[in-house]
Amino acid sequence: MSKAIVSSLYDSDVFKMACRQFDQAADAINLPDAIRDRTKYPRRCLAVSIPVRRIDGSVTVFEGYRVQHNISTGPSKGGIRFHQDVTLGEVAALAMWMSWKCSLAGLPYGGAKGGVIVNPSKLSESELEHLSRRYMQEMVNFLGPQTDVPAPDVGTNEKIMGWMMDTYSTHVGYLSPAVVTGKPIALGGSQGRREATGAGVAYLTKKYLEDMKLPVNKATAVIQGFGNVGSETAIALSNYGAKIIAISDYTGGIYNPKGINLKKALEYVKYAKVLKDFDGGEPISNEALLELKCTALIPAALERVITDKNAGKLKCRVLAEGANGPTTNAADRILEQREEIELIPDVLCNSGGVIVSYFEWLQNLSSFYWTRDEVLTKLYGMLDKAKDSVDAQKRKFKFNRRLAALTLGIARVAEAKASRGLFP
Ligand code: GLU
């Protein structure tokens, strides 16, 4: 058997975690050795230095990455993260998850992810614009509408996608909206894209609660993370009648057993940027928040927050992974024993975002735009299909739901690679 020649390039806890998930799924479906490492490891990556002139006249050089994990099933797809703790290994793990996510949803895409080591809240608006444009400029030959299509992720947003699209378009000499998704509507963004990830998380949470005969309008929800995904999940769940009893961001959480006033929380965050000192409930730490008794617990921030330390203490009925990779391998083993908790794994749970990104790309390529109702109806239809396939796989092979989702996603990528063959 051949040994992978993958170096220590991606070495990190989170990459190891994604690899362990892959190994388990590959074992479960007896993935042949000849296809295993080709399917597992990222296809290619690019690391760039991004010099930015600061408002005081000095220059700071930031480091940025793009990892294209799989390009065998279509252009690679995945967000760009701006965060001070970004590492190449993390970006590689996130790219790997994008491959399985797109494959599971039946999208004609591979998986990718980008990242820049930067705390965007420490930059002025013009510094952020320079950083975003220069990142895209450095990547211009590495991505494109038929090569690799970025989107927002933690720390990036519509405005940044607009700047990146403009930079790419200026380079090629014509408007190229399909190079990036998650753009402002005025630049070819899709109706419903901003809320898509959270709307999908809430929709699937409601569906699983219904399967468990738990009415969503009697449910309580605890949400970690109040960025795009967390806040849109909160809004959608509360529109379904659920009571949001705790929310948080990196500055800490707010707990109110009577229900958080979301409108006030959103207004507060718009002005204060963070939840800290929001007076809509009692302050609570992010750690304690995860252990609150609730119907649905939704980690919607960063990786590896559900660990072997707290997995045994969760008091939820549904664990809906709005974030990518929130649950460690050790925590998965504990949760497997806790049959009272239904896990909705990340590659299924948060796939609403990339599904509507796909719709946005289609609309851009055809210059034919859809209504919000059309977008959401098609989104829910695709989520239903993905959910049904995961649950059928779970029943058929007696897998846990993460293994069911991963085996489906991985098998499709592996099959495409095997069918394409190896260039001699
Ligand atoms: N960053 C999002 C994710 O992790 C969206 C990716 C996309 O829309 O391409 O799924």
Side-chain angles (χ1 to χ4, degrees), residues 121-375:
S121 69
K122 296 252 155 57
L123 297 186
S124 70
E125 170 104 351
S126 71
E127 290 167 337
L128 190 62
E129 179 173 353
H130 290 154
L131 176 77
S132 307
R133 288 183 178 279
R134 187 62 191 253
Y135 175 90
M136 176 49 98
Q137 182 63 48
E138 295 297 331
M139 296 279 165
V140 133
N141 294 317
F142 198 55
L143 41 78
Q146 298 301 336
T147 316
D148 180 13
V149 184
D153 195 76
V154 174
T156 54
N157 56 24
E158 288 177 5
K159 193 187 258 180
I160 292 175
M161 295 305 116
W163 289 328
M164 289 187 173
M165 190 278 280
D166 179 70
T167 305
Y168 183 86
S169 297
T170 307
H171 176 84
V172 294
Y174 49 85
L175 182 70
S176 179
V179 67
V180 165
T181 60
K183 301 176 293 294
I185 304 258
L187 295 179
S190 177
Q191 297 289 341
R193 175 62 186 89
R194 186 188 301 170
E195 55 271 46
T197 314
V201 172
Y203 180 77
L204 289 170
T205 302
K206 175 169 86 77
K207 283 284 191 174
Y208 278 101
L209 290 175
E210 282 165 5
D211 289 353
M212 298 160 78
K213 310 270 179 285
L214 296 171
V216 66
N217 58 4
K218 300 240 160 50
T220 53
V222 167
I223 303 175
Q224 185 194 49
F226 208 59
N228 173 273
V229 179
S231 63
E232 293 294 345
T233 303
I235 293 168
L237 274 176
S238 103
N239 288 343
Y240 288 139
K243 188 157 70 174
I244 315 300
I245 57 167
I247 54 175
S248 74
D249 65 12
Y250 71 95
T251 62
I254 306 289
Y255 171 53
N256 186 341
K258 294 202 187 80
I260 306 256
N261 183 329
L262 278 182
K263 204 163 165 269
K264 283 206 172 130
L266 289 161
E267 267 163 27
Y268 182 84
V269 167
K270 209 167 167 191
Y271 152 81
K273 304 285 178 232
V274 288
L275 273 172
K276 192 172 158 52
D277 297 333
F278 172 58
D279 64 4
E282 295 299 312
I284 185 169
S285 70
N286 263 301
E287 295 72 44
L289 173 133
L290 293 171
E291 294 172 20
L292 285 171
K293 185 169 164 40
C294 59
T295 324
L297 174 64
I298 299 145
L302 296 173
E303 306 88 63
R304 300 170 62 76
V305 293
I306 313 283
T307 65
D308 52 347
K309 306 269 178 314
N310 59 10
K313 299 188 203 150
L314 303 187
K315 295 178 201 70
C316 59
R317 297 298 312 281
V318 169
L319 174 58
E321 295 185 330
N324 293 310
T327 308
T328 64
N329 308 115
D332 267 339
R333 285 195 292 275
I334 296 169
L335 291 173
E336 187 153 24
Q337 308 304 318
R338 299 199 57 192
E339 279 168 14
E340 74 281 17
I341 299 180
E342 293 292 338
L343 171 80
I344 317 177
D346 50 4
V347 292
L348 170 66
C349 190
N350 67 41
S351 63
V354 73
I355 291 173
V356 177
S357 276
Y358 168 56
F359 298 162
E360 181 171 329
W361 182 76
L362 287 179
Q363 293 171 75
N364 295 152
L365 291 177
S366 61
S367 300
F368 182 76
Y369 287 83
W370 311 354
T371 63
R372 193 184 137 80
D373 270 0
E374 283 173 303
V375 168

Side-chain angles (χ1 to χ4, degrees), residues 353-404:
V354 73
I355 291 173
V356 177
S357 276
Y358 168 56
F359 298 162
E360 181 171 329
W361 182 76
L362 287 179
Q363 293 171 75
N364 295 152
L365 291 177
S366 61
S367 300
F368 182 76
Y369 287 83
W370 311 354
T371 63
R372 193 184 137 80
D373 270 0
E374 283 173 303
V375 168
L376 293 179
T377 306
K378 286 192 172 72
L379 166 66
Y380 298 142
M382 287 187 71
L383 288 175
D384 282 337
K385 207 169 147 214
K387 172 184 184 286
D388 290 347
S389 65
V390 168
D391 291 340
Q393 177 91 340
K394 178 178 185 291
R395 278 193 302 273
K396 185 168 171 197
F397 296 103
K398 300 201 169 24
F399 289 162
N400 63 46
R401 197 170 286 105
R402 187 184 313 286
L403 194 60

